[in-house]
């Protein structure tokens, strides 16, 4: 018994000595702990460099546009390094509004009348201090279209205004009806399929600055609206070029993706509540024509569209509306240079619905697909406060269209 106790005491003493001298109790003070940390870091770095950081895929329907982009927009050929601690799709999407800075921008608001008697809110950044384009009559204009419930105050819009300011351009943000604080004068809001308000805005901008070149950029639903507009107008537009970010190309596929349990919880329910909040804000005008109580009980975007959007714009069924709102059906008719940036991991616009084959059939189209980036995320760098991959694509393409646009007049 004495021998057993002695052996146990010796074992305990030796183990304590080992822990004190080798493990040091704290993980980072130990040889074993440090080895684990270094090993994990090395493995994570290898995985990141091999599987996460990749060059984007550039697809175009014509060699001329393809080579133009490679020459004038080097970002399309560079490896995209997503922020290493948040490269996953949903994390990029959720963090973008909170991580990125909001540059200070002072707008000049203008309300213009629509054909039905409603009003459209435009936020202008005139850039009167432009050094490269001091004459306001010829200063290039960039039209910006926010996403589904977005306004001119979204961080991604403010970043594009900042990039345009650096280039010496003027910006105007097209706020969809009823989302930026203005009153609804008629019982009508907006949707991706209807481009009448957009046509009114573009015609107004052209009349206001007849000698100034105009290009446009649309984000998410704003990009869908732009693509549908170009598909309808063909060559009958004053836009010199268009860039589209994180557009949903097939609304059926986009909606189905957002109805998966996790994405419904993270995104669908929230966006539905935002849409309902806008309806509630304008209830006195809208309840004369629509069953608002029924609309407010919707739990998904699909239910909201079935009860409100499709009815407002005169569709027999919601499926008819979704088919008309899907830009994929109009890409063959686009006659203006259009660059489209999508992330393959975007749950709002699933990769299998990205219109690769349709783009290959039109020399005016180019598609840039990154492996990661989420929905309007595209965060890069250690701490992505000031700029994103999307910002760099926008700035380089805008400059190329405005300053080298003569090379894009005939891409066939």
């Amino acid at each position: 018994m004495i021998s057993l106790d002695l052996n146990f005491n010796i074992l305990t003493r030796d183990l304590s000595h080992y822990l004190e001298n080798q493990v040091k109790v704290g993980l980072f003070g130990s040889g074993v702990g440090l080895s684990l940390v270094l090993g994990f870091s090395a493995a994570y770095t290898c995985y990141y460099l091999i599987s996460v950081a990749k060059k984007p895929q550039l697809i175009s329907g014509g060699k001329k546009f393809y080579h133009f982009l490679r020459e004038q927009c080097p970002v399309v050929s560079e490896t995209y390094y997503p922020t290493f601690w948040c490269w996953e799709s949903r994390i990029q999407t959720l963090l973008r509004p909170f991580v990125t800075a909001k540059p200070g921008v002072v707008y000049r608001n203008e309300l213009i009348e629509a054909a039905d008697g409603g009003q459209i809110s435009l936020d202008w950044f005139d850039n009167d201090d432009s050094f490269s384009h001091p004459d306001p009559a010829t200063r290039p204009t960039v039209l910006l279209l926010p996403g589904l419930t977005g306004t001119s105050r979204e961080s991604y819009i403010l970043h594009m205004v900042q990039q345009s300011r650096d280039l010496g351009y003027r910006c105007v943000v097209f706020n969809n009806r009823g989302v930026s604080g203005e009153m609804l004068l008629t019982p009508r809001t907006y949707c991706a399929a209807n481009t009448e308000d957009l046509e009114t805005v573009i015609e107004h901008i052209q009349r206001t600055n007849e000698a100034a070149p105009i290009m446009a950029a649309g984000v998410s639903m704003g990009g869908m609206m732009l693509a549908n507009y170009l598909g309808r107008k063909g060559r009958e537009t004053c836009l010199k070029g268009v860039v589209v970010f994180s557009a949903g190309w097939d609304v059926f596929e986009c909606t189905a993706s957002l109805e998966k349990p996790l994405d419904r919880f993270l995104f669908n329910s929230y966006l539905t509540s935002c849409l309902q909040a806008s309806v509630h804000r304008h209830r006195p005008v809208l309840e004369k024509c629509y069953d608002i109580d029924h609309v407010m009980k919707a739990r998904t975007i699909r239910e909201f569209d079935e009860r409100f959007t499709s009815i407002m714009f005169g569709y027999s069924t919601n499926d008819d509306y979704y088919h008309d709102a899907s830009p994929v059906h109009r890409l063959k008719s686009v006659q203006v240079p259009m660059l489209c940036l999508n992330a393959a991991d975007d749950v709002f616009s699933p990769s299998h619905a990205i219109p690769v084959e349709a783009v290959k059939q039109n020399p005016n189209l180019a598609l840039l697909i990154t492996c990661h980036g989420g929905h309007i995320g595209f965060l890069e760098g250690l701490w992505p406060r000031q700029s994103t991959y999307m910002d760099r694509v926008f700035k380089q393409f805008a400059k190329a269209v405005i300053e080298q646009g003569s090379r894009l007049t005939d891409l066939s």
Side-chain angles (χ1 to χ4, degrees), residues 126-168:
D126 296 305
N127 203 6
D128 290 329
D129 296 328
S130 173
F131 177 78
S132 55
H133 299 278
D135 184 0
T138 58
R139 185 176 302 142
T141 302
V142 181
L143 170 63
L144 303 176
L145 281 72
L148 181 62
T149 59
T151 69
S152 60
R153 290 297 169 185
E154 305 303 321
S155 63
Y156 57 82
I157 293 292
L158 294 173
H159 277 233
M160 287 193 282
V161 173
Q162 182 183 51
Q163 302 283 354
S164 300
R165 176 174 55 196
D166 293 344
L167 293 170

Side-chain angles (χ1 to χ4, degrees), residues 129-369:
D129 296 328
S130 173
F131 177 78
S132 55
H133 299 278
D135 184 0
T138 58
R139 185 176 302 142
T141 302
V142 181
L143 170 63
L144 303 176
L145 281 72
L148 181 62
T149 59
T151 69
S152 60
R153 290 297 169 185
E154 305 303 321
S155 63
Y156 57 82
I157 293 292
L158 294 173
H159 277 233
M160 287 193 282
V161 173
Q162 182 183 51
Q163 302 283 354
S164 300
R165 176 174 55 196
D166 293 344
L167 293 170
Y169 305 158
R170 167 175 45 224
C171 281
V172 54
V173 184
F174 166 35
N175 297 294
N176 288 305
R177 293 198 202 190
V179 301
S180 62
E182 80 282 5
M183 296 296 296
L184 277 185
L185 302 183
T186 59
R188 170 172 165 164
T189 56
Y190 59 93
C191 75
N194 189 283
T195 59
E196 293 173 0
D197 283 359
L198 178 56
E199 291 179 33
T200 298
V201 168
I202 292 174
E203 290 169 2
H204 174 74
I205 295 172
Q206 186 180 28
R207 287 195 305 270
T208 304
N209 304 283
E210 294 182 352
I214 307 172
M215 72 156 293
V219 181
S220 192
M221 194 206 73
M224 297 167 65
M225 190 183 293
L226 260 179
N228 282 326
Y229 163 81
L230 291 181
R232 287 193 174 104
K233 301 296 287 186
R235 293 189 182 277
E236 297 177 3
T237 178
C238 61
L239 298 181
K240 304 301 181 185
V242 165
V243 59
V244 168
F245 301 106
S246 297
W249 298 104
D250 186 324
V251 181
F252 293 101
E253 297 295 337
C254 298
T255 307
S257 177
L258 288 174
E259 288 174 346
K260 295 176 181 178
L262 179 59
D263 298 318
R264 176 171 174 167
F265 171 74
L266 291 175
F267 307 113
N268 201 325
S269 297
Y270 172 74
L271 287 174
T272 303
S273 67
C274 290
L275 290 168
Q276 290 170 322
S278 181
V279 169
H280 179 72
R281 209 161 42 239
H282 302 289
R283 183 167 188 146
V285 176
L286 296 172
E287 65 183 356
K288 300 172 185 177
C289 302
Y290 310 103
D291 185 351
I292 301 304
D293 289 335
H294 189 48
V295 173
M296 298 303 288
K297 293 177 182 177
R299 291 294 173 262
T300 64
I301 294 174
R302 187 193 298 272
E303 290 182 0
F304 179 89
D305 289 335
E306 289 172 345
R307 303 175 186 191
F308 185 72
T309 314
S310 61
I311 297 173
M312 173 177 287
F313 289 93
Y315 291 96
S316 300
T317 67
N318 195 57
D319 283 356
D320 290 340
Y321 163 52
Y322 277 6
H323 182 275
D324 201 32
S326 300
V328 65
H329 304 300
R330 295 193 177 89
L331 290 180
K332 61 183 178 183
S333 302
V334 173
Q335 298 296 314
V336 172
M338 182 168 75
L339 173 63
C340 313
L341 173 64
N342 281 90
D345 64 353
D346 184 354
V347 298
F348 284 71
S349 184
S351 59
H352 64 268
I354 296 176
V356 173
E357 294 306 316
V359 168
K360 289 180 179 179
Q361 304 305 314
N362 188 334
N364 296 291
L365 301 178
L367 184 59
L368 189 64
I369 305 174

